[in-house]
Amino acid sequence: MSRATKVRAFFALAILVVSTYIAATVPPRLGLDLRGGTQIVLETRDSPTAKADRDATDRALEVLRRRVDALGVSEPNLVRSGDRRIIVELPGVQEPRRAAEVLGRTAQLTFHPVLEVADATEATTSPDAGGRRILPDESGRMLRLDAARMTGADVDRAEAVLEPAGGGWHVTLDLRGRGERAWAELTGDAACAPAGTPARRVAIALDGKVVSSPQVDPSVDCDTGILGGSTRITGDFDKREARELALLINGGALPVPVETVEHRTVGPTLGEQAIEAGMWAAIIGAALTALFIACVYRLLGILAAVALAGYGLIAYAALVGLGATLTLPGLAGFVLAVGMAVDANVLVFERAREEYLARTAPALRPSLTRGFRNAFGAVADSNVTTLIAAGLLFFLATGPVRGFGVTLGIGVLASMVSALVVTRVLAEFAVSRAAVRRRPRISGIAHAGPVRAWPARRDPHLMRHRRRMLAVSGVLALGLAVSGVAVRGVDFGVEFTGGRLVEYSTTESVDPDRARSALADAGFPKAVVQASGDRELTVRTGKPTDAEEARITATVGELGRGAEKVRDEFIGPSLGKELRLKAVIALGVALAAQLAYLAVRFRWTFGVAAVVSMAHDVLILVGAFAWLGRTVDAVFLAALLTVIGYSVNDSVVVFDRIRELRRTPAHGKHSLARITDTAVFQTLPRTVNTGSGALFVLVALAVLGGDALADFALALLIGVLAGTGSTVSVAAPLAVVLESRATPSPPRAARSRITPDHHGHGARRPGRAPRDNGARV
């Protein structure tokens, strides 16, 4: 074993040991969509006296944190997002509207002298220049109130108390310092008024609403007032109202108003089902992928399957070690990355096969070493394109979809470590054994394989029909997209349109048409009803009130012999508009970023060809979803950006081979069309084997992942198939057309020299060390 192999083995062992320790000792941080609970997004607004800037939002965050602590929620999470948004995660809370009301209350507690009874027509919502206002008391009678003498800042502590002997609930206030003196002055002035008159009352208002206006007891002396620094707020409170009022006072007033722009609620049973479904999809998908790669690459395939288990361990340890939150789309990204992790192994093994077959005196160990070295550039290029998509998801997406970007990015990096370190150590050790050297075919790289042998026998000329392929592909993509949008329309989710989406689990199956009719009779003619499962119904409406929501739930429950809310999402119209804009920006930035990267790594002609191919795949996917009537939401956007990364990944492999072949004396004299034909068919085994690995996982995810992941897996299935086909039918022929019209300047020349051999592959001259900086497949 060479020194380099020993170093790699030590490095691989260290990574696996550390990963095992982290995975065993650090619990995963599950998102609310997996463990159940509520996420509320609040946005601060300007008030007449304060501007909603970063500082005001930070102060509001601290007030909200105290309120959440008073609610008694275990493991809450509150973070500021941008300058004006606060994300509140409340595990286990299943009443988002009630929680949003408590958190969103400004909680401006004020204490006012009562001047007189006012006319009902004089009611005012804001104070006049002197701070006076007219508000209804608890019984609805209008009171003219003087300017506030005290605020909630003068209250030291509030507590909800149940009066003995059936006296009901009230809130006691402890006043200290300035508050104690101010309360004595306020009640002392009121005690000077005759008993029974309005001026003997003190009004306590919360957010401009009088919650209590008690008379000062006759025993209180004029100008002396109530001493001792304690009072109480009485009213027709129940237990919950009294406690909420107490926690609002204790938490303090928000410096600026806040508005709920989004809330999501997931029941715990749905999260448990998603975790179980995701685990089964990962296990079965990974098992099928491992079986497939073992059949194709024999011994090295078996070792790659072992390394695939190591990949899963490394990726999971990195995820929990970095404290990343595992969301439902993130779980799907983790499962998907299992299939995509095969790609690096396939690239290496196919290059090793070429090196072995190209030699007159082939040997396993040198061929494998050269395969790892020559495939590194292509592995790096293809993974960078996926990392670009993952980065865009993290920076431009919101909510659980960001988790998908994180897990996808971690999965890509872990797959490179797994393939280039763990697999290499195992493979080099295996091919060095005498038993394998005596029977090289069991290694898996000593034979061409059927996918590689067929093009070599037929020698097809695909690029001869390049214009025809471009025309057919363009008509297919535009026709599918335009007809789908025109005939069926695009069903945008609540993320993009705003509104409310509630998913119910019913006792009996409910026909969607019957549910639409029943909801229309109940006063919701525009409700969008979809069956998301055998006994699962999704209802999408505008922004219903509490009473309207109860009516919707009752209607569904009556139809289904009982209904339980398992998911509840609300997106405000302003946020929906913002998310639509972000989706367009994300798509545009993705195309621009991939174009820039390919233009630097190859030529602008290759970059344009790849971007047009990506646009083709986007149109195919949008058109297919329109025809199928599937919802286009944030999860669809995640799938779309992943498809873009996969499409570029596939094109990069072919372009890299074109660049390499143009530098060889055997192919450099041929036309670009013939070189492209050769490149397409030389990389065909990689395309087939990598695509098959991804398809195994995606089919498992679509079948076993449950309704929550069905659309996501379907989008990726369509995208992978479209991306694989568009590389041959769009990217490659368009690159030939553009290159023929551009300045004839081939990609950067490498410094190594390559000579042809009897197999038609490039073989280096003996004794020359490879110095090629260009990426290869």
Side-chain angles (χ1 to χ4, degrees), residues 624-647:
F625 258 54
W627 276 110
L628 294 173
R630 300 285 185 164
T631 302
V632 173
D633 52 13
V635 175
F636 173 84
L637 177 62
L640 188 63
L641 291 177
T642 307
V643 166
I644 287 176
Y646 184 90
S647 178

Side-chain angles (χ1 to χ4, degrees), residues 289 308 311 332-347 379 382-383 385-387 389 404 408 411-412 415-416 419 641-647 649 686 690-695 697-698 716 720:
T289 302
L308 197 62
Y311 151 78
F334 186 84
V335 176
L336 173 64
V338 172
M340 298 181 70
V342 177
D343 184 47
N345 293 295
V346 171
L347 284 166
V379 171
S382 58
N383 282 294
T385 58
T386 306
L387 284 174
F404 172 76
L408 183 61
V412 168
S415 70
M416 291 188 66
L641 291 177
T642 307
V643 166
I644 287 176
Y646 184 90
S647 178
N649 186 331
R686 175 264 167 197
T690 296
S692 299
L695 289 176
V697 173
L698 289 175
L716 286 175
V720 166

Side-chain angles (χ1 to χ4, degrees), residues 40 64 67 137 174 221 276 289 313 341 450 469 505 523 542 559 676 707 740:
I40 302 172
L64 292 173
R67 292 185 184 180
D137 65 5
D174 292 332
D221 295 332
E276 183 180 358
T289 302
L313 177 63
M469 286 192 294
S505 176
L559 293 173
T676 303
D707 299 320
S740 65

Side-chain angles (χ1 to χ4, degrees), residues 168 175 195 199 401 449 710 741:
L175 310 170
V401 177
R741 299 186 179 186

